[in-house]
Amino acid sequence: MNKRIYLDYNATTPLSEEVRQFSIAELGSYANGSSLHEDGRVAAKKITGARE
């Protein structure tokens, strides 16, 4: 029997509960974080916060 070893953990890494909840909460939000309008600025702040 051949055993298969799957090495692409990056593609299948489980989400932490914190990330899962944040993602669910933000599914209804949409804006381009590079835009100059208010929605874009709000999105940019959320992106920056997530990266930190």
Side-chain angles (χ1 to χ4, degrees):
M1 172 183 236
N2 292 331
K3 289 188 177 185
R4 182 175 179 203
I5 300 174
Y6 189 70
L7 299 175
D8 192 4
Y9 190 72
N10 189 46
T12 60
T13 305
L15 292 175
S16 70
E17 189 58 31
E18 180 182 22
V19 171
R20 182 184 311 278
Q21 292 303 318
F22 180 82
S23 297
I24 290 169
E26 293 302 319
L27 283 174
S29 301
Y30 50 90
N32 181 344
S34 298
S35 296
L36 299 177
H37 50 70
E38 179 65 21
D39 290 341
R41 289 192 298 272
V42 170
K45 284 183 182 182
K46 289 179 181 180
I47 292 167
T48 299
R51 287 178 178 156
E52 290 174 356

